[in-house]
C-alpha cells in the first residue's frame, strides 16, 4: 500500500500521551471529566454531542475496562462504535496496525482508538491517518486515559494532588500505567514514589516526569507506608516481561497485604488499574475494602475521562 503523503505528523486532537499534553490541558480534561461523571454513570442525560459520529476501537491487545468504557463513553455521547480486535481481523493474516488503521479511516470514521503492544504504536498510527487518534495503551509507553481516570479518582478523594505523596508499587519497568500516572501526578504537583524490586524499576525513572512535583525511587515498601496519601499497586506485566514469571517471594516483598495496609494512615485510598491478580500484588481483603479501595471508582471515572477525551478529539 502506498503511503498517504498528506499524513506525516500528529494533530493537536490526537491524545497520545500525558507527556506530550500542552500546559493546562490535563487540568482542563480533569475538570471536564469530573463534570461529565453524572452523565457517564447515567444519572443525568448526556447531551448527544457526538450524534452521527463513528468511533473505531482498534484493540490489538486484550482489554476489559478500557475497551468497554471507550464504547460506553462514545455511546453516552451519541456516537456509534465499531470494535476491531487482532483475532477476527486481518491482523491475523499479517496486516500491520498502520494498514489496518488506514483502511478503517478510509471507511470514514471520526476517531480511532488504538491499543497495541508496540511502544509508540499510537503515535505511529497518528502519523499515517488524518482522523484523531486516541492512545488506549501502547506497549510499555503510555496509557494516558488511564492516568486521567486515576487522577480524577484521586482528586475526588483527596481534593487536590498538590503536595500529596503517592506510591506506585510493582512492575514499573513494563507498565505504561506507571509512566502515564507519574507524568500526570507530577504535573498536578504530587510526589510520586516508585516502589519495587530493582529488577522492576528502570534506571532513570525518577527523571522521567516534569512538573512541580517529583519522582523518587525506593525498594523498601515497608519504610514508606505510614507516610503516604495514596497507594497504587500494579500487575506484573507477564506479557511484556523479558523473562521468568512472578518471583515466588513477590507478595512477601511488595504485595499490599492486610498487614501492610494496616500501616497506612487511616483513609489512604488504594488504587489498582486492573486486572487484579489477587493474592499477588494485592490481597483480597485490601482490594475489596469498601472504605478505602477505589478500584471500582477508578473504573467509573474511566467512562467520564474517555468522554472528555472523545469530545476533545471530535467535538471541540
Ligand atoms: C492496564 C493496561 O492494559 O495497561 N489495564 C488497564 O487498561 N486498566 C494494566 C494492566 O494490564 O495491568
Amino acid at each position: 500500500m502506498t503511503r498517504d503523503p498528506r499524513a506525516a505528523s500528529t494533530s493537536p486532537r490526537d491524545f497520545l500521551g500525558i507527556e506530550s499534553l500542552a500546559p493546562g490541558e490535563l487540568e482542563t480534561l480533569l475538570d471536564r471529566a469530573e463534570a461529565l461523571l453524572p452523565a457517564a454513570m447515567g444519572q443525568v442525560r448526556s447531551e448527544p454531542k457526538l450524534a452521527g459520529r463513528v468511533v473505531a476501537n482498534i484493540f490489538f491487545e486484550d482489554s476489559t475496562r478500557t475497551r468497554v468504557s471507550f464504547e460506553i463513553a462514545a455511546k453516552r455521547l451519541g456516537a456509534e462504535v465499531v470494535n476491531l480486535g487482532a483475532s477476527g481481523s486481518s491482523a491475523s493474516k499479517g496486516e500491520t496496525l498502520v494498514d489496518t488503521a488506514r483502511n478503517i479511516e478510509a471507511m470514514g470514521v471520526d476517531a480511532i482508538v488504538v491499543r497495541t503492544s508496540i511502544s509508540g504504536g499510537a503515535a505511529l498510527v497518528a502519523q499515517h491517518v488524518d482522523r484523531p487518534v486516541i492512545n488506549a495503551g501502547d506497549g510499555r509507553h503510555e496509557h494516558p486515559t488511564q492516568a486521567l481516570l486515576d487522577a480524577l479518582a484521586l482528586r475526588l478523594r483527596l481534593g487536590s494532588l498538590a503536595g500529596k505523596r503517592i506510591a506506585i508499587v510493582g512492575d514499573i519497568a513494563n507498565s505504561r500505567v506507571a509512566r502515564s500516572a507519574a507524568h500526570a501526578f507530577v504535573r498536578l504537583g504530587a510526589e510520586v514514589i516508585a516502589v519495587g524490586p530493582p529488577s522492576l524499576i528502570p534506571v532513570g525513572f525518577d527523571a522521567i516526569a516534569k512538573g512541580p512535583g517529583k519522582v523518587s525511587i525506593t525498594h523498601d515498601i515497608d519504610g514508606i507506608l505510614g507516610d503516604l496519601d495514596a497507594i497504587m499497586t500494579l500487575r506484573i506485566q507477564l506479557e511484556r516481561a523479558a523473562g521468568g514469571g512472578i518471583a515466588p517471594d513477590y507478595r512477601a516483598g511488595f504485595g499490599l497485604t492486610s498487614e501492610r495496609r494496616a500501616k497506612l494512615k487511616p483513609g489512604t485510598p488504594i488504587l489498582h488499574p486492573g486486572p487484579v491478580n489477587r493474592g499477588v500484588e494485592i490481597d483480597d481483603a485490601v482490594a475489596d475494602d469498601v472504605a478505602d479501595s477505589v478500584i471500582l471508582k477508578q473504573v467509573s471515572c474511566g467512562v467520564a475521562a474517555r468522554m472528555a477525551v472523545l469530545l476533545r478529539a471530535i467535538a471541540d
Side-chain angles (χ1 to χ4, degrees):
M1 188 177 290
T2 52
R3 206 179 130 183
D4 184 344
R6 288 168 309 159
S9 62
T10 59
S11 121
R13 288 180 181 273
D14 296 324
F15 190 65
L16 302 174
I18 300 292
E19 188 177 12
S20 52
L21 283 182
E25 276 204 282
L26 178 60
E27 292 80 356
T28 304
L29 280 164
L30 281 171
D31 290 344
R32 192 170 206 177
E34 186 168 349
L36 285 163
L37 205 45
M41 293 298 99
Q43 292 153 354
V44 300
R45 261 187 94 75
S46 35
E47 266 187 80
K49 291 192 175 166
L50 300 186
R53 305 303 191 102
V54 179
V55 175
N57 278 335
I58 301 179
F59 273 62
F60 279 3
E61 267 193 348
D62 290 344
S63 171
T64 296
R65 282 149 289 271
T66 307
R67 192 188 64 71
V68 175
S69 65
F70 263 113
E71 181 160 358
I72 293 172
K75 288 181 171 172
R76 288 278 188 218
L77 292 165
E80 311 224 27
V81 180
V82 290
N83 287 296
L84 197 67
S87 84
S89 76
S90 289
S92 67
K93 301 178 188 171
E95 190 165 31
T96 67
L97 174 65
V98 167
D99 280 342
T100 304
R102 294 189 71 214
N103 279 267
I104 297 294
E105 179 190 35
M107 296 177 209
V109 299
D110 296 284
I112 299 175
V113 181
V114 176
R115 169 168 285 200
T116 170
S117 59
I118 304 166
S119 301
L124 187 68
V125 170
Q127 285 158 12
H128 288 83
V129 301
D130 282 341
R131 295 302 159 115
V133 173
I134 297 170
N135 182 4
D138 61 332
R140 296 181 175 85
H141 174 229
E142 278 229 37
H143 192 351
T145 58
Q146 179 71 38
L148 209 52
L149 73 88
D150 292 335
L152 179 56
L154 280 174
R155 208 167 87 156
L156 293 174
R157 186 78 184 213
L158 302 174
S160 155
L161 273 66
K164 300 294 192 306
R165 284 168 64 87
I166 306 169
I168 304 179
V169 185
D171 187 359
I172 312 284
N174 296 297
S175 172
R176 54 202 178 201
V177 174
R179 291 179 65 82
S180 286
H183 282 299
F185 298 169
V186 164
R187 276 192 185 219
L188 297 168
E191 181 187 345
V192 170
I193 308 163
V195 191
S199 59
L200 293 182
I201 303 196
V203 173
F205 189 79
D206 48 345
I208 68 154
K210 307 276 180 295
K214 63 171 186 158
V215 181
S216 60
I217 294 174
T218 181
H219 309 301
D220 173 20
I221 185 171
D222 294 297
I224 59 160
L225 289 169
D227 200 18
L228 297 175
D229 298 297
I231 183 166
M232 175 192 286
T233 57
L234 299 172
R235 181 179 69 89
I236 307 282
Q237 306 281 293
L238 289 175
E239 69 275 39
R240 278 179 245 293
I246 299 171
D249 57 354
Y250 182 81
R251 177 177 174 274
F254 293 95
L256 189 52
T257 59
S258 294
E259 295 72 38
R260 288 203 171 104
R261 190 260 161 113
K263 295 186 197 160
L264 297 170
K265 288 186 283 191
T268 303
I270 296 155
L271 293 87
H272 192 304
V276 171
N277 282 169
R278 290 167 174 267
V280 181
E281 69 269 12
I282 189 167
D283 280 5
D284 281 342
V286 184
D288 298 334
D289 185 276
V290 284
D292 295 332
S293 168
V294 296
I295 295 173
L296 292 177
K297 186 70 182 176
Q298 289 172 266
V299 178
S300 301
C301 288
V303 179
R306 285 160 186 140
M307 286 171 77
V309 169
L310 285 169
L311 287 171
R312 173 185 179 275
I314 308 174
D316 287 353

